[in-house]
Amino acid sequence: NINIVDPNMPTQVNPQKQKTAFPPNFVHSLDASHMVLSAIECKIAGLVFASVHDSYWTHACDVDKMNTILRDQFVRMHTEPIMERLKAEFEERYSDHMLPVASWDYVNSFSFEKNGALKAGTQRLSKTTREQRRQLVETELARLHLETCEDTVGEDMVQQQITANDAELAESMEPVDLTSIELVDSETDPVGAARQADLIAYTTRINAGRIRDERKAIMKEHRERVSRLRSYFTRQAKAAKAAKAERKPRKKFGSVEPTVESAEPTSKPQVVTEAGKLEAADLDAINSGVLAQDSLDTYIETLKLDRDLQIDRLQAKYPTKFDRPLIISLPAGSRAAEVEQLKMLIKQGKLAGRLVKSHRFDKLTFDDLPAQGDFNINEVLQSPYFFS
């Protein structure tokens, strides 16, 4: 096979090779700088100078002079802030550069039933394997709940609870409070962060089911309450009409009876509670005169506003969204142990998400320089081990 390569064509940069190649090349550049400085000083001093890489030559009679020049130029060069200048130059030159980064992302791609169990069929596994995974996931979520919740029991007691019967833990598991949960740092503990991501997803799905169920209950209660009120006033209107018909005097044939004015009832009719179906607040409104037939529609509008307010409060009571994305990124090519551990836990069904390799561009940044050591560079001038 013949491969034709155009050296002018752009090729993909290997970041790992770039990282490993730069340090030795930079050190070689310092050696070259030291050689040039030494050559210049030797010429000024009238010495014959020759070199190959870091090996320097002169006439035997001038070796001591060259040795002194080499040491002086070495100290001169390394008393300069070389690393500080390099960092400043890189930050200025590459201030707008983006670096392609490959990473493993832990993604919560699963879904729960309302009761917290994994939905059947979300994983392409046999029914038995799905059931085993569901039990393992619920067990791990329960364990994480016990590990992260603030409890007043001692550490020994918590450990006993964590190692208790798995089925009991799964059945007694409750979602965490998303307003006070302490996030696990994915940089220091990616496995713990992945487990917590599962628990957060579990909580939001449980909360979504709670909102749905309680909203249905609130709507049903409102409809029934309005229906009872309308039914009550309909019966009251019919009863009043019937009472008025009974009080109306009948005319005898061939005679004229005196007209009887509408008589007031002997006693004020009491509110019929219809077997206690009306709410206490509605009865109070009727008895106080706030609620009557002509104000029923306005009263119902007030009940609708109260119903909508109750529904709006459910979102604050049961959060279904979380500010932190449920994705944990690990740089590809590093932290291999954490990645393998995540893969193993996912394969065992102890984590409900999945690992996805992705690529993104991050802004190129440079770490802070380490603190300078306590070595005195001037000791090179007197040391018998340098340039001897």
Side-chain angles (χ1 to χ4, degrees):
N1 296 332
I2 299 176
N3 294 326
I4 301 176
V5 179
D6 185 354
N8 296 320
M9 289 294 292
T11 57
Q12 184 177 3
V13 176
N14 189 319
Q16 186 62 33
K17 289 184 177 180
Q18 293 289 324
K19 289 169 61 177
T20 56
F22 175 78
N25 287 333
F26 179 66
V27 172
H28 290 325
S29 72
L30 295 180
D31 293 339
S33 298
H34 176 241
M35 180 194 69
V36 171
L37 291 174
S38 300
I40 293 173
E41 288 300 316
C42 286
K43 183 177 180 180
I44 294 174
L47 275 63
V48 176
F49 180 85
S51 68
V52 175
H53 189 46
D54 56 357
S55 180
Y56 308 131
W57 302 323
T58 190
H59 294 297
C61 60
D62 296 328
V63 168
D64 291 340
K65 291 181 180 179
M66 187 184 70
N67 189 292
T68 302
I69 291 174
L70 294 177
R71 292 170 184 262
D72 289 341
Q73 296 309 308
F74 187 86
V75 172
R76 172 189 168 190
M77 183 178 70
H78 285 284
T79 51
E80 296 292 329
I82 297 175
M83 298 305 298
E84 288 78 1
R85 289 175 181 173
L86 177 67
K87 184 174 185 291
E89 179 185 346
F90 278 3
E91 290 177 339
E92 180 179 359
R93 179 181 297 181
Y94 304 111
S95 59
D96 57 348
H97 278 57
M98 304 296 288
L99 183 67
V101 177
S103 64
W104 287 102
D105 294 335
Y106 178 78
V107 184
N108 293 105
S109 59
F110 57 93
S111 58
F112 283 110
E113 298 283 6
K114 287 192 296 183
N115 61 359
L118 278 176
K119 277 188 176 181
T122 56
Q123 303 290 343
R124 294 183 177 179
L125 302 170
S126 66
K127 183 177 180 182
T128 303
T129 307
R130 284 201 304 268
E131 179 63 20
Q132 292 175 350
R133 169 167 285 191
R134 182 189 67 80
Q135 293 177 359
L136 287 171
V137 168
E138 293 186 350
T139 299
E140 288 302 312
L141 293 177
R143 287 177 178 166
L144 180 59
H145 169 64
L146 290 172
E147 291 172 357
T148 56
C149 67
E150 296 181 359
D151 204 340
T152 57
V153 299
E155 183 177 356
D156 293 339
M157 185 60 182
V158 173
Q159 293 297 328
Q160 291 176 9
Q161 292 180 11
I162 293 173
T163 57
N165 183 274
D166 292 344
E168 294 179 359
L169 290 176
E171 292 177 359
S172 62
M173 181 177 57
E174 296 181 359
V176 296
D177 183 3
L178 295 181
T179 61
S180 61
I181 187 173
E182 184 177 351
L183 295 178
V184 177
D185 186 4
S186 61
E187 291 295 325
T188 58
D189 186 9
V191 175
R195 287 175 174 166
Q196 189 178 63
D198 285 351
L199 185 60
I200 292 172
Y202 171 83
T203 301
T204 55
R205 284 158 176 76
I206 290 293
N207 286 348
R210 286 177 169 177
I211 290 177
R212 181 173 56 252
D213 293 342
E214 292 197 17
R215 184 180 183 278
K216 288 181 180 179
I218 292 173
M219 295 294 291
K220 180 180 179 181
E221 181 182 357
H222 172 77
R223 288 194 301 268
E224 293 176 350
R225 184 175 182 181
V226 171
S227 177
R228 289 194 296 267
L229 283 172
R230 293 191 183 279
S231 177
Y232 167 78
F233 279 104
T234 299
R235 287 188 175 89
Q236 289 292 95
K238 289 182 179 179
K241 185 176 181 180
K244 184 177 181 181
E246 291 179 358
R247 292 195 301 271
K248 187 175 180 179
R250 297 179 180 179
K251 293 182 179 181
K252 292 183 179 181
F253 181 77
S255 64
V256 178
E257 295 290 336
T259 303
V260 180
E261 298 294 335
S262 58
E264 294 293 333
T266 56
S267 60
K268 185 178 180 180
Q270 297 296 318
V271 174
V272 180
T273 64
E274 297 185 9
K277 292 182 179 180
L278 291 181
E279 298 286 337
D282 298 338
L283 287 174
D284 293 340
I286 294 172
N287 289 325
S288 63
V290 173
L291 175 58
Q293 179 68 47
D294 54 354
S295 62
L296 178 59
D297 291 339
T298 303
Y299 188 80
I300 290 176
E301 288 299 321
T302 303
L303 294 182
K304 287 182 179 179
L305 293 176
D306 182 65
R307 175 203 65 188
D308 294 341
L309 183 60
Q310 291 183 59
I311 293 175
D312 292 341
R313 288 172 179 168
L314 292 177
Q315 190 63 50
K317 184 179 180 182
Y318 304 119
T320 57
K321 295 181 180 180
F322 198 68
D323 293 338
R324 175 188 180 184
L326 302 183
I327 295 179
I328 299 153
S329 296
L330 297 173
S334 63
R335 305 180 69 177
E338 287 93 338
V339 173
E340 290 302 318
Q341 187 176 8
L342 285 172
K343 289 181 179 179
M344 180 185 66
L345 292 173
I346 293 171
K347 185 176 181 180
Q348 293 174 349
K350 294 184 177 181
L351 289 176
R354 59 190 175 95
L355 280 177
V356 178
K357 193 172 185 179
S358 63
H359 293 80
R360 66 177 187 275
F361 284 89
D362 287 349
K363 187 175 181 180
L364 185 61
T365 59
F366 301 93
D367 296 336
D368 294 333
L369 294 174
Q372 188 174 3
D374 56 359
F375 176 74
N376 185 1
I377 191 65
N378 291 305
E379 293 181 8
V380 173
L381 298 175
Q382 306 299 328
S383 174
Y385 301 105
F386 290 91
F387 309 111
S388 299

